Amino acid sequence: MASERLSSILSHLSPTKSGVATITTKNPDDVVITLAIRTPLAKSGKGGFKDTPLDYLVYSLLKRVLEKSRLDPQLIEDICMGNVSSAKAAYIVRAASLGAGFPVTTGGSSVNRFCSSGLKAVQDIANQISMGSIDVGLAIGAESMTEGGDRLEKPFHDEIIQNSEANDCMQPMGQTSENVGKDFNISREAQDKYAAESYQRAERAQKAGWFDEEIVPISTILKDPKTGEEKRVSITRDEGPRYGTTFESLHKIRPAFPQFGDRSTGGNSSQVTDGAAAILLMKRSKAIELNQPILAKFVGATVAGLAPRIMGIGPTIAIPKLLSKFNLNLHTDIDIIEINEAFASMAVYCLKTLQIDHAKMNVRGGAIALGHPLGATGARQIVTGLSECRRQKKKILLTSMCIGTGQGMAGLFVNEQL
């Protein structure tokens, strides 16, 4: 008891570790990422996955997880899938996992927090591991926007929408983007300049082969829209980047939501996309025991709410909340930042309001250029962000996104592949 009391007193007298020193400390109980992969991102309705149902996309990715990890599937105790559009997501993840070679003992579930669903799935699995409920788990995010979107089919009950903010939850995302543009004076010019930079970064990254280590090719069937002829193809590259995109070319595009405003367009908004991503997690001690490569440490994630009509600025609420929990400074402690570019309006707002160094944010381009498969994005950002950390030999990754109905989420990771 005396020695414990002395240690307690000394710990109070000793200078506390910095936030970075604390989160980069390696402990056996750390939750770590041992695999982070994604499919290519394809244009919904007309791209490489237009004839690929969600179940087959998930099945294909799960097979690649087993191939890449070389892990006995008996060891993976639960799979959580982030998905927005499919009411059958829980059925799909369970059936696809069994078809891919996972045993009946591996559980399956789905989560939906709109655009943060992929990150929410990672948080769910990480929390289960941290609490000792499971030892090894897999988080995935997957979306076929070809099959459907996330629009409401009917209004909420009359008593609910008597509350103005509840009523605002029904606003289309394009309207919320125009609200952000108007309320915070984010001009069409500023949005197009930002979007052009996103396209140019994605083009540079794709040409340089930076995405190659992130992506696992997916073999699927593609139908010729004119003849109906089917052929097997291998989808290997993101389809979103448009080479040669400039501010001038984007500035010619007509507004996408003229009933709400004239600043958001098809060129400065995220693309409608099909794709999936997977993150394999376990405790550090388990990864060492299983001889699995430790890519990164999961530090934490949090969610924050705000007015639904300006949902796009959610990262400016979630990021400070998350960083305060770990005593971190956005400008001096964070190396790489991935903020989902739902719309250029919110991306420009977040960049300016948080005073982010743009050189650190969305280095390979973001959803404007790459696409935004709703349930997959939260996981895809981790895959891309960790890959960029490895390329630059940087340590601390921050991811964040806005969320429909007025929320923001953020996640924090330490790259250990320096």
Side-chain angles (χ1 to χ4, degrees):
M1 290 293 292
S3 62
E4 290 176 5
R5 178 168 174 76
L6 179 60
S7 296
S8 176
I9 293 171
L10 289 174
S11 70
H12 284 88
L13 294 176
S14 302
T16 57
K17 287 184 179 179
S18 71
V20 172
T22 300
I23 68 170
T24 55
T25 300
K26 297 179 181 179
N27 299 297
D29 286 343
D30 292 338
V31 177
V32 299
I33 295 169
T34 60
L35 182 71
I37 57 174
R38 67 177 180 90
T39 71
L41 304 183
K43 292 178 178 293
S44 70
K46 58 184 178 181
F49 294 141
K50 71 180 181 66
D51 303 307
T52 303
L54 179 63
D55 58 0
Y56 185 79
L57 188 63
V58 173
Y59 161 81
S60 300
L61 181 61
L62 291 176
K63 288 186 72 174
R64 298 310 301 268
V65 167
L66 293 180
E67 291 169 10
K68 297 279 284 187
S69 69
R70 298 180 180 176
L71 197 63
D72 180 352
Q74 298 278 351
L75 295 169
I76 299 176
E77 296 172 74
D78 200 10
I79 302 172
C80 183
M81 180 173 82
N83 175 269
V84 177
S85 301
S86 178
K88 307 295 190 296
Y91 282 109
I92 288 170
V93 67
R94 176 64 172 163
S97 66
L98 294 171
F102 288 85
V104 293
T105 52
T106 300
S109 68
S110 64
V111 293
N112 179 1
R113 189 182 270 153
F114 301 112
C115 303
S116 71
S117 298
L119 177 58
K120 176 64 177 168
V122 171
Q123 184 187 45
D124 179 279
I125 292 295
N127 286 348
Q128 287 193 71
I129 294 169
S130 181
M131 293 299 293
S133 300
I134 61 174
D135 290 329
V136 181
L138 179 64
I140 64 174
E143 202 76 44
S144 171
M145 295 187 74
T146 295
E147 291 188 350
D150 62 340
R151 292 183 180 179
L152 284 170
E153 295 178 357
K154 62 180 182 179
F156 297 124
H157 191 282
D158 287 346
E159 287 191 31
I160 293 175
I161 60 176
Q162 287 177 13
N163 178 288
S164 62
E165 290 189 330
N167 188 57
D168 286 345
C169 287
M170 297 191 295
Q171 288 193 12
M173 294 300 95
Q175 183 177 358
T176 70
S177 176
E178 291 291 359
N179 292 342
V180 170
K182 290 174 189 173
D183 288 11
F184 304 107
N185 195 29
I186 311 297
S187 68
R188 166 73 188 268
E189 181 180 29
Q191 294 184 45
D192 286 345
K193 284 182 177 178
Y194 180 92
E197 177 68 20
S198 183
Y199 275 110
Q200 289 158 15
R201 289 183 179 197
E203 177 181 346
R204 183 167 60 248
Q206 192 171 61
K207 287 180 175 178
W210 295 351
F211 294 121
D212 294 352
E213 72 160 14
E214 300 179 33
I215 294 173
V216 290
I218 300 296
S219 175
T220 189
I221 297 295
L222 197 60
K223 294 179 184 176
D224 186 303
K226 294 181 180 178
T227 66
E229 180 187 355
E230 295 185 356
K231 63 178 180 179
R232 182 158 290 279
V233 296
S234 181
I235 309 301
T236 61
R237 287 162 56 88
D238 295 326
E239 298 173 353
R242 302 169 188 164
Y243 291 4
T245 297
T246 64
F247 165 76
E248 289 75 18
S249 64
L250 291 175
H251 212 51
K252 295 175 183 177
I253 300 174
R254 289 178 297 179
F257 316 105
Q259 68 273 42
F260 304 125
D262 59 3
R263 306 182 195 201
S264 294
T265 74
N268 64 29
S269 304
S270 58
Q271 297 182 39
V272 182
T273 309
D274 304 330
I279 310 291
L280 184 60
L281 300 113
M282 61 191 73
K283 283 189 177 178
R284 184 183 300 279
S285 56
K286 179 61 71 171
I288 293 169
E289 175 191 329
L290 298 174
N291 198 30
Q292 289 283 301
I294 297 175
L295 302 185
K297 174 181 173 179
F298 171 82
V299 179
T302 195
V303 67
L306 69 154
R309 66 178 300 278
I310 51 171
M311 68 93 201
I313 72 170
T316 64
I317 312 298
I319 288 173
K321 180 180 176 181
L322 179 64
L323 297 186
S324 69
K325 293 179 182 296
F326 297 98
N327 191 30
L328 295 171
N329 182 291
L330 177 62
H331 307 111
T332 59
D333 296 333
I334 306 301
D335 296 315
I336 299 293
I337 302 167
E338 286 280 327
I339 292 182
N340 186 44
E341 298 168 353
F343 300 95
S345 58
M346 54 74 55
V348 172
Y349 178 88
C350 292
L351 194 64
K352 290 184 175 180
T353 301
L354 295 174
Q355 298 180 339
I356 294 171
D357 178 358
H358 198 180
K360 294 181 177 181
M361 176 176 144
N362 298 356
V363 178
R364 302 181 180 188
I368 289 172
L370 297 174
H372 175 28
L374 304 175
T377 288
R380 197 280 304 168
Q381 288 181 305
I382 300 168
V383 179
T384 302
L386 289 179
S387 179
E388 183 59 26
C389 283
R390 291 192 293 272
R391 188 186 72 85
Q392 291 195 34
K393 294 181 169 48
K394 299 291 187 181
K395 272 192 176 182
I396 313 300
L397 168 67
L398 173 71
T399 69
S400 187
M401 68 289 291
C402 58
I403 305 169
T405 70
Q407 301 171 73
M409 195 169 182
L412 189 63
F413 309 84
V414 177
N415 168 43
E416 295 193 8
Q417 296 282 314
L418 295 172

